[in-house]
Structures are given as C-alpha cells and as structure tokens.
Amino acid sequence: MIIPAIDLIGGKVVRLYQGDYARKTEYDADPQERFDLYVNEGAKFLHLVDLDGAKDTSKRQLSVISGLIKNTSVPVEIGGGIRTAKDIEDLLNVGASRVVVGSAAVKDPATAKEWFRNYGAEHIVLALDINIDPVSGKRFIAIKGWQENSAVTIEELIGDFAEVGLKYVLCTDISRDGTLKGSNVELYHDLHQLFPHIDFLASGGIGSLSDVEAVRDSGAAGIIIGRSLLEGKFTVKEAIACWPNA
C-alpha cells in the first residue's frame, strides 16, 4: 500500500530534515487540498504527523486534525507526541483510524501494552525510529525526538509486544529520513523475515519510483511517502503503479 503523508506545524505543511525542527522546509500547500489530491490520485490511506503535538502535547492541533479527517474520504492515521491514554482517545474520538505511538512504547512498555489491550491492536501503530550502530550493526530505537538512543533494539521491542497482538510497525532508518537517497531495503527485508506476521510500513529516503520498487520487493506491507510527493518527484498514481495490488 502507498500511504501519502504530510507533517503539520501551525496548520501548515512542512518537512523536517532528519527530525530537526531547526531544519524545517515549509511548503505552499493547503493540507486539505493536498489530501484531496492524494485521494483523487488513488490513495486508500493517509498519514498525518502533528509536529506541534510532538513537541508539546498541550499544543496538539486537534481542530485542524478533526477538520481534515471529516473532509477526507479515506482513513487517516495520526502521529506526534502520543504519551497518554487521553492522547489516543482524543485522536480516535475525532475519527483517526489508527494512532501512531513512538517513544512511549520504549520508555513505558507496560503502559503502552495497556493501550493495545484497551483500544485494540488494529488502532495502534508502533513507530520505531532507529539508528544502526556502525560497529555492531544493532538497530537501536531512538527516543527524545531522535536525539538519544535507547538501549533497546527494534527486534527486542517487537518481540516484547507480541503478547498484545502487535500488527503494525512503522520503521524509519533515521539516516535516510528526508534525504531522498533511497530507503534501507535490507532493514525491511530482515524484519519481514523475522516477523512475517507484522505489517511493516517503510518510511524515509524515498526520492524516486525506483526507490518505491525497491521497497516493494523487501516484504514491507506499505510505504509512507512525504517529501518526494510534495516536491513533485512523482505522483501517488505513479507510485501505486509500482506497487502491485496497492
């Protein structure tokens, strides 16, 4: 599945380079018009990141998110600073199909598992952003807005969350994010082999249709595409054509 994505700050479409708020690009694109375009080009699912909420949960853009969901004809998953049960409830209540949980799953796995039990694994995506150790090759999950590595590998966390029926994992190799230099196909291939029952959503580095094709053959269930669509590298329709049964 091809999943177009937009990131929002102050209701405006932006992109951060490798998660750095100081390296922000703002696009002259209306969020609703952008979602409408993606749906018209064939998107069946959309991804939205609330960067204000990620930085400060008290500034979550709930009214903007609610309006986008109500006026969009396909399901939307929402991420950005999900730290409490109320954060999840607020987003599900305004119509989010799935809520994307990140650092909270690493910092407090017991609480995050309760969210799975209370709201259902079908409504929660674990977003596991990783740094790969150049010496050991271990894939450590990053926390605190990518500024710090945890001591937990992605394989360990996925294994731990099997008990609550984990279904969806959005995995980003931080070194590729926002670069348009291609995705880490080997990563998704390895994860699919280890956990074939998990739907892995690839993210980061997609700059061309050949990058889409490479991820398609990795075993990933879907691919989240942001910057390359905003900058007109290709269209959603063209990306879907590269992904059989999308």
Side-chain angles (χ1 to χ4, degrees):
M1 178 179 283
I2 301 297
I3 305 177
I6 60 173
D7 297 355
L8 294 181
I9 290 179
K12 296 182 178 180
V13 179
V14 303
R15 283 292 293 166
L16 305 183
Y17 184 83
Q18 296 187 359
D20 187 349
Y21 281 78
R23 302 173 75 181
K24 177 183 74 174
T25 301
E26 188 172 305
Y27 293 89
D28 184 21
D30 176 80
Q32 188 64 62
E33 289 178 1
R34 183 58 50 167
F35 267 8
D36 292 346
L37 172 64
Y38 293 158
V39 172
N40 288 338
E41 291 181 348
K44 303 299 184 187
F45 208 98
L46 297 169
H47 181 89
L48 177 67
V49 180
D50 176 3
L51 290 172
D52 287 337
K55 203 170 188 179
D56 182 348
T57 55
S58 70
K59 296 181 179 178
R60 193 175 305 286
Q61 302 171 78
L62 271 179
S63 61
V64 174
I65 292 168
S66 177
L68 284 169
I69 291 174
K70 287 177 181 176
N71 291 295
T72 300
S73 61
V74 303
V76 182
E77 64 183 17
I78 313 289
I82 308 304
R83 299 184 179 95
T84 67
K86 185 178 186 304
D87 294 333
I88 295 175
E89 289 175 6
D90 285 346
L91 291 170
L92 291 177
N93 286 341
V94 298
S97 177
R98 300 194 296 231
V99 177
V100 181
V101 174
S103 296
V106 183
K107 296 176 181 176
D108 189 355
T111 297
K113 287 176 185 177
E114 280 302 303
W115 299 342
F116 276 80
R117 295 185 182 102
N118 292 338
Y119 304 110
E122 69 276 14
H123 292 303
I124 300 178
V125 180
L126 282 192
L128 306 179
D129 306 324
I130 63 164
N131 283 312
I132 301 175
D133 186 280
V135 178
S136 68
K138 289 187 175 181
R139 298 150 174 163
F140 290 106
I141 301 169
I143 56 175
K144 295 186 178 178
W146 293 359
Q147 303 306 306
E148 182 181 315
N149 270 349
S150 70
V152 182
T153 67
I154 186 170
E155 294 88 351
E156 290 168 342
L157 193 75
I158 291 173
D160 188 33
F161 274 75
E163 67 180 74
V164 289
L166 176 64
K167 294 169 65 73
Y168 306 110
V169 173
L170 193 174
C171 179
T172 304
D173 176 351
I174 292 169
S175 70
R176 305 294 183 101
D177 186 69
T179 65
L180 301 181
K181 294 179 180 178
S183 191
N184 188 340
V185 175
E186 181 183 354
L187 168 66
Y188 303 116
H189 179 269
D190 289 353
L191 291 174
H192 176 65
Q193 294 297 311
L194 286 169
F195 306 102
H197 58 290
I198 299 289
D199 282 354
F200 287 99
L201 305 178
S203 172
I206 299 300
S208 68
L209 291 174
S210 61
D211 293 335
V212 175
E213 291 171 351
V215 174
R216 173 199 67 198
D217 297 330
S218 71
I223 182 169
I224 292 175
I225 307 176
R227 180 182 167 191
S228 52
L229 293 174
L230 286 169
E231 297 187 358
K233 305 294 183 184
F234 52 83
T235 68
V236 172
K237 186 176 181 179
E238 289 170 331
I240 290 172
C242 294
W243 197 287
N245 303 315

